[in-house]
Amino acid sequence: MAHERSFQDISLDSLVSTAERLKREGWRCVQMLCVNTDNGVDLTYSFSKLNELANYQVRGVTQGTSVPSIQNLFLGIFPFENEAKDLFGVDIEGMVLDFAGKFYAVAEREPMTILTPEAKERKDKEAKKAAAAAAKAKQAAEGGSAPADDLEAKLAGMDPEKAAKVRAAMEAKARKEAASSAQSEDDIEAKLANMDPEKAAKVRAALEAKKAKEGNA
Amino acid sequence: MDANFLITTIIGTVCFAVLAPVIGCLIDGIDRIVSARMQGRVGPKLLQPYWDVRKLLGKDKVAVSGSEDTYIGLALFFAILAGGIFFSGGNLLLVVFVITLSSLFFIVAAYSTRSPYAEVGAARETLQVMSYEPMVLFMAVAFYQVVGTFDTSGVFLLRHPAICTAWGAFIGLCFVLTIKLRKSPFDISSSHHAHQEIVKGITTEMSGPTLAKVEIMHWCETVLFMGWVGVFFVFSHPISILVAVLVALVIYLFEIWVDNNFARVKWQAMLKWAWIVALVAGGLNVAVLAFI
Amino acid sequence: MGQHTVIPFGPQHPVLPEPLHLDLVVDDEVVVEAIPQIGFIHRGLERLTQTRDYNQFIYIAERICGICAFGHSLGYAETIETLMGVEIPKRAEYLRVILHELSRVHSHLLWLGLAADAFGYESLFMHCWRLRERVLDVFEATTGGRVILSAVLVGGMVRDQDAATLNMMRETLDGIKDEYAQLCKAFLEDSSVRNRLVGVGTITTEEALDYSMVGPFARASNVNNDVRMLGKGGYADLSDFQPILETDGDCFARAKVRALEVLQSIDIINEMVDKIPDGPVFEEVKGAPVAGAQACNTLEQPRGECYYYALGNGTKYLERMRMRTPTSINLAGMAQALKGCDLADVNMIVLTIDPCISCTER
């Protein structure tokens, strides 16, 4: 007997009718779990009958949406529905055994909806990476070639005032960089002038050797 | 009540108060070792019960009810008094009632704590008293019929031990002894290990010196009940006292064996069986003795 | 008394070294209602997926519970292997089944001891636990741990067992078998034990289905839901597997199911030891679960079916890990069995579901 496992999305409205149908057909309730996502909490209800294990998923239940309880059909689910309420803040309505948010004595409210700093950092990184990849993909689709145009593409998407500011800032930065490279040589000369002659000669020789080496390379 | 009786009772009680805890403590120590061996364990040292009680006596008094300690004190006093009367050759019927009075104070002490576990334990202890009391009374009556007096000193004038004609009452006594000694399967009001639904039952709320008194009371009770067992074997021959002691030890070992090898019963079963045994073994014995 | 009294049972109760709290509403000594409450030791282990990657998390999964530790690491590993589409070596599958059945033997022996203790049968209690020690010795000899074995990895087993060790395992179990048969006799034939167990806390087949009960608790009510018969992993190669079922649904039936399952487990181990193929026991798993990929899995723990769910997010860290332990789904059935029972039967009923509250509160 192979183990048949399936996942299926259902809407919140059809949850109770699905549960009723499964009850009639002699399924037993296995569990219910929540997953915290950016678009609310995903609920997964699992039912089993002989070798079948079916998972029905209700996506994106947001704060304030009430979810009907199925405890009147499957009382065994009461720890999980109370858990959903305590740890994820899902508003479950009509529970037979309702612990009113006191099933778990937790220090903070709805702890499973809060990310740890490590996870948050990782998630932000992921989001940035994903955004960059999306932009690249978009560009590839538009047929852009040089990576330098990447910035231009981005700027094009911005509002004009901000884009102008960014451009101005970048130009200023470029100017500054050019100036600083010119300046650095003058600086060395000035410094050498202040040193004692013997040492200065040595430094100069070293610098020239370095330049020659760079030239060769 | 003549002065002679009073003096012997007082002397007997003082002697019992000194000796019974020592003997009871040693019996308890042996009990623990034998139990452990039956379960395949090594068990504690012989004097472990003594060290336990000594430690309890040294603890601070922490009680939810101030009257609890007084009741336990009275229970201990009456237990010692009952032993004193018995071993100084006093009235067996009086002993039975004084030891029952001791049990009642013990029950009241548990009720005074108002703890749900202790209350259920006390209610069950009441049922236990109710279960064993008929048999104990039958025993006293059968004793009277055989010896011709309620005074325990009367056995030394017998030409045959009481067991010869009162063996029905003796069997009944052995049965209720399991209840009185709080041994499984009848340890329903308070088991030796607190592994039952009402935790430690009747003694749940007792601690420190109060619990120590309860332990000492149990030692005294054990010695007294072993005396009840032994009295069936004593007659005019002096060697019979040795026989009585040996029989008491054998019966105690038998109780340990029963304790280890039976599951705890519920109070309904205990009440039913205790009364059936009392009526069959005790009642028939008394009836037969009455017609002979 | 007359009117209703509420007797608290737990979370600190000597009968049950588990933080389960029951409010027993009693009328004299008859339980009118029992309201279970857990949540005293919630540790938030499922949330730890955020800070532990999938290879590290196996050690956390294992520490959910001290009795079914091996089962949890096994269930977790199987779920991740399903999630990532990994096949593990055949020899590792066999070794997993052997150790899993061995932990069932130790868990059931532990339970039988606890049950004996609860009804005041001290010597039976001690003998059960003494036998269990021998099983723990086998664990120590094979994995180095007595309770937390850390023997499973995602992708196989930590170490192989040579033929000599497997033989030692079989000899130990054969040695246990005789003594165990005597214990079984005490459990299943002793009149004082039967007096406490027969007809207590009866659950009918319909009720068992209604309350979605699992494990020996349900099998004693003739509900066939042993996950092992689905033949996953090494179980697929068993010549014959018939779940042990009873029809009475009372405490005695539950004790009997567990008592017989020990013998069944010993047979399974012997068969696996006979059939075990040669080969590697570990294959390194590389990469990370795909974002949005999800997998679910069930495993027959000593206490019943355990459900695992994993959701990947493209990194080595899982987005969500879920472990639904058998006790949590059995709580409703337990509350039902407690209704109308004697106060003296409460500990028997609570014990016969074999509650593991540490499991329940991940």
Side-chain angles (χ1 to χ4, degrees), chain A residues 1 3 5 23 28-34 46 51 55 57 79-80 83 99 103 114 116 122, chain C residues 36-38 47 50 210 212 214 230 232 294 296-298 305 307 317 320 322 324 328-329 362:
Chain A
M1 225 189 303
H3 198 202
R5 287 167 272 188
K23 176 95 183 170
R28 69 186 166 86
C29 182
V30 173
Q31 63 97 38
M32 169 213 175
L33 70 89
C34 301
S46 311
N51 61 331
N55 298 280
Q57 298 184 306
F80 319 117
E83 185 183 271
F99 289 84
F103 193 60
I114 302 164
T116 58
R122 209 166 50 238
Chain C
Q37 163 95 62
I38 56 169
R47 196 182 166 203
Q50 291 181 7
D210 262 7
S212 314
V214 296
L230 299 176
K232 277 186 290 189
Q294 50 185 359
C296 65
N297 185 33
T298 53
E305 174 209 75
Y307 171 96
Y317 297 84
R320 180 90 167 91
R322 166 66 155 181
R324 195 280 286 144
S328 49
I329 195 88
R362 286 105 16 222

Side-chain angles (χ1 to χ4, degrees), chain B residues 63-82:
Chain B
V64 278
S65 157
S67 51
E68 176 196 79
D69 193 39
T70 316
Y71 291 129
I72 290 296
L74 283 168
L76 176 61
F77 171 74
F78 282 114
I80 291 172
L81 183 65

Side-chain angles (χ1 to χ4, degrees), chain C residues 247-282:
Chain C
T247 49
D248 295 342
D250 55 5
C251 286
F252 184 71
R254 284 167 224 152
K256 194 170 176 188
V257 167
R258 290 199 180 88
L260 296 178
E261 275 188 3
V262 172
L263 294 170
Q264 187 187 36
S265 291
I266 293 177
D267 289 344
I268 292 176
I269 295 167
N270 283 340
E271 192 179 340
M272 288 277 128
V273 170
D274 283 340
K275 284 185 177 173
I276 193 160
D278 286 331
V281 293
F282 178 64

Side-chain angles (χ1 to χ4, degrees), chain B residues 38-41 116-117 120 124 184 193-199 259-269, chain C residues 7-9 13-15 29 117-123 126-127 130 192-193 195-196 342-345 347:
Chain B
M38 280 183 182
Q39 296 163 11
R41 292 185 287 121
Y117 304 121
V120 176
R124 289 184 179 180
S184 167
H193 309 278
H195 291 188
Q196 63 165 326
E197 62 283 354
I198 51 172
V199 193
D259 182 31
N260 272 297
N261 290 292
F262 280 91
R264 185 180 302 120
V265 298
K266 292 198 262 177
W267 66 264
Q268 293 92 333
Chain C
I7 295 187
F9 186 91
H13 200 288
V15 165
E29 281 215 20
D117 189 34
F119 52 64
Y121 204 144
E122 288 87 6
S123 52
M126 288 292 168
H127 286 299
R130 189 167 302 109
S192 71
V193 174
N195 178 33
R196 281 308 297 272
D342 259 6
L343 181 61
D345 292 331
N347 48 7

